[in-house]
Amino acid sequence: MNVHEYQAKELLAKFGVNIPAGIPALTVEEAVEAAKQLPGPVYVVKAQIHAGGRGKGKFKELPADAKGGVRLAKTIGEVETHAREMLGNTLVTVQTGEAGKQVNRLYVTDGVDIAKEYYLSLVVDRGTGRVALIVSTEGGMDIEEVAHSTPEKITTIVIDPAQGFMPHHGRAVAFALKLSGFLNKQAQQLAKSLYEAFVSLDCAMLEINPLVETRDGQLLVLDAKLSFDSNALYRHPEEVVLRDETEEDPAEIEASKYDLAYIKLDGNIGCMVNGAGLAMATMDIIKLNGEFPANFLDVGGGATKEKVTAAFKIILKDPAVKGILVNIFGGIMKCDIIAEGIVAAAKEVNLSVPLVVRLEGTNVEKGKEILTHSGLPIVPANDLGDAAKKIVAEVQKVA
Ligand code: ADP
Ligand code: MG
């Protein structure tokens, strides 16, 4: 689960991390009020969306030479102008995809006199199964480019969870950032605080880009991107309330209510499958046959009629869907029960697109019989290859 920059910063401040003063705003008036409460004389108005690259982003509705989603303002009047231009408009960045994201919130923050920008992040490194600190002197907006062309400028420091954060980890961070004196001390303390925050908040990722050195020798967190480990949310009610559903795909939110793992994709064949492995194989074989899946959808082991119905509804809400492929292995759940579920669900949602069903497993013959006698135009398939060929043929017939 992702949160906004201002939420991440508020959390980090509780761990003693140095952040510039800032206030979130939902309207132009609130943005102006926020600026009035800040010391000035320079403010920065920042679009709050769940995506990075805002500084270099472009607003769809504004001329191509308009400023991006992170803007400097030298007066309260300028804060107002920026807020008016940004709120309600769509910001497209390297991370949002072409569709972009509507800006519904702003963060008005102190303008900082930057001497140098650094990069610091913490992630769960799957290779070692440990939290890794990733540090670079080349902070700012192009860390992906640094990782690609000059990877030697990035240092990774892995922390043993049994040992926890040790002073030498802090020194390694400060050394990698080539800092001396008071800045070096601040970097050590910061690394420790960030690690504490990461572990106690059950984060999946925490990225500070940039971490800045100010002209008066302070180390400040200027941008923060934070995501929580969704599997640990049950023990953090204080994090659950930070969820901003307007940043998420409505179909994915609906799916999560029914415990369905759904991810929207760009193709035209809706998939309903049980088990992530089978779902991946189904998507692959659709692609092999020349079409593209409209979604990934794993209904899980215990696919009840309610779940199957919810899944059909979610798939059919996507206007790009021209056909549905159901590929279910009846293991825990028997095929006849699944077939009944599919028939009932298809009737309930008034299925309007071709439906190919491939069932395998316990009671498969009974299941197939139910589908054949359902009175619905369901195309039965014998195996995965057959199913893919059939749904692709159906979809191409429609097109
Ligand atoms: P994003 O990563 O989404 O582009 P950032 O918050 O990193 O957004 O902002 C982009 C750039 O804008 C930063 O690298 C920094 O140079 C500048 N910037 C951001 N916040 C401030 C601030 N409070 N004061 C001065 N400059 C800032
Ligand atoms: Mg940034």
Side-chain angles (χ1 to χ4, degrees):
M1 187 189 108
N2 297 320
V3 292
H4 290 293
E5 172 196 0
Y6 78 91
Q7 296 169 320
K9 284 182 169 172
E10 282 168 10
L11 286 170
L12 293 180
K14 291 185 188 152
F15 289 85
V17 172
N18 260 344
I19 60 160
I23 302 167
L26 292 168
T27 62
V28 176
E29 294 71 37
E30 281 179 22
V32 169
E33 267 322 297
K36 283 183 185 159
Q37 288 175 48
L38 294 171
V42 180
Y43 313 91
V44 177
V45 185
K46 308 180 80 172
Q48 298 295 289
I49 54 171
H50 285 184
R54 296 163 301 168
K56 290 192 170 169
K58 291 274 168 225
F59 281 97
K60 266 196 177 165
E61 297 84 355
L62 302 181
D65 60 351
K67 294 199 175 73
V70 176
R71 300 176 174 198
L72 210 68
K74 294 208 172 92
T75 61
I76 295 200
E78 276 180 39
V79 169
E80 180 173 353
T81 311
H82 290 321
R84 211 173 284 290
E85 268 193 32
M86 286 200 245
L87 278 171
N89 280 340
T90 317
L91 184 58
V92 181
T93 80
V94 285
Q95 293 185 8
T96 60
E98 268 172 46
K101 286 207 153 185
Q102 192 181 47
V103 177
N104 302 317
R105 296 177 196 220
L106 298 173
Y107 187 50
V108 185
T109 175
D110 264 348
V112 172
D113 199 0
I114 303 170
K116 176 147 177 55
E117 301 195 329
Y118 302 94
Y119 177 91
L120 201 170
S121 69
L122 290 97
V123 291
V124 178
D125 174 27
R126 285 166 195 246
T128 54
R130 294 173 175 193
V131 175
L133 275 154
I134 300 165
V135 207
S136 176
T137 49
E138 309 304 304
M141 295 196 261
D142 283 316
I143 192 67
E144 288 80 5
E145 177 55 28
V146 177
H148 185 253
S149 49
T150 47
E152 70 280 2
K153 291 191 172 159
I154 295 178
T155 306
T156 303
I157 300 153
V158 176
I159 297 168
D160 180 339
Q163 202 182 32
F165 191 94
M166 302 300 270
H168 69 85
H169 294 125
R171 289 195 293 274
V173 167
F175 181 76
L177 293 178
K178 300 192 166 68
L179 296 173
S180 57
F182 183 49
L183 285 166
N184 182 298
K185 290 232 157 48
Q186 289 180 76
Q188 295 187 42
Q189 182 54 46
L190 174 73
K192 184 167 188 268
S193 305
L194 291 177
Y195 180 79
E196 274 168 21
F198 190 93
V199 172
S200 45
L201 298 170
D202 281 317
C203 295
M205 194 265 314
L206 171 56
E207 184 183 58
I208 311 297
N209 188 30
L211 167 70
V212 300
E213 175 187 332
T214 63
R215 296 221 178 265
D216 58 0
Q218 303 286 322
L219 214 51
L220 279 183
V221 166
L222 222 60
D223 185 15
K225 212 171 159 203
L226 188 160
S227 67
F228 299 119
D229 177 352
S230 300
N231 293 314
L233 280 176
Y234 72 95
R235 56 184 186 193
H236 295 285
E238 80 287 3
E239 290 173 7
V240 176
V241 299
L242 300 179
R243 185 167 176 188
D244 180 359
E245 290 198 346
T246 65
E247 290 288 324
E248 297 172 29
D249 185 307
E252 289 177 18
I253 294 171
E254 183 67 14
S256 70
K257 285 185 195 151
Y258 292 92
D259 214 10
L260 300 163
Y262 172 89
I263 294 160
K264 162 114 185 67
L265 300 170
D266 296 329
N268 56 11
I269 297 178
C271 302
M272 183 157 80
V273 190
N274 65 341
L278 194 57
M280 297 298 281
T282 306
M283 287 162 37
D284 279 347
I285 203 156
I286 288 173
K287 189 132 191 259
L288 193 66
N289 281 274
E291 288 292 341
F292 204 80
N295 63 277
F296 168 95
L297 195 156
D298 173 10
V299 291
T304 59
K305 185 197 149 200
E306 286 69 34
K307 264 193 165 184
V308 173
T309 310
F312 266 120
K313 285 184 182 163
I314 289 164
I315 292 174
L316 287 169
K317 263 200 197 133
D318 177 358
V321 168
K322 299 284 176 287
I324 299 179
L325 172 55
V326 175
N327 183 18
I328 290 197
F329 180 78
I332 302 170
M333 188 65 91
K334 297 187 184 79
C335 286
D336 50 328
I337 309 277
I338 291 164
E340 277 169 8
I342 293 169
V343 170
K347 283 184 177 159
E348 193 185 325
V349 299
N350 271 330
L351 196 67
S352 50
V353 295
L355 171 63
V356 173
V357 179
R358 181 255 178 161
L359 289 177
E360 193 53 82
T362 316
N363 289 356
V364 63
E365 290 314 323
K366 260 182 163 173
K368 283 184 176 167
E369 218 163 277
I370 292 167
L371 294 180
T372 318
H373 296 114
S374 66
L376 288 166
I378 297 174
V379 181
N382 297 320
D383 56 44
L384 189 48
D386 184 40
K389 278 197 192 81
K390 281 178 173 160
I391 190 64
V392 167
E394 291 288 333
V395 164
Q396 291 176 346
K397 227 193 295 176
V398 180

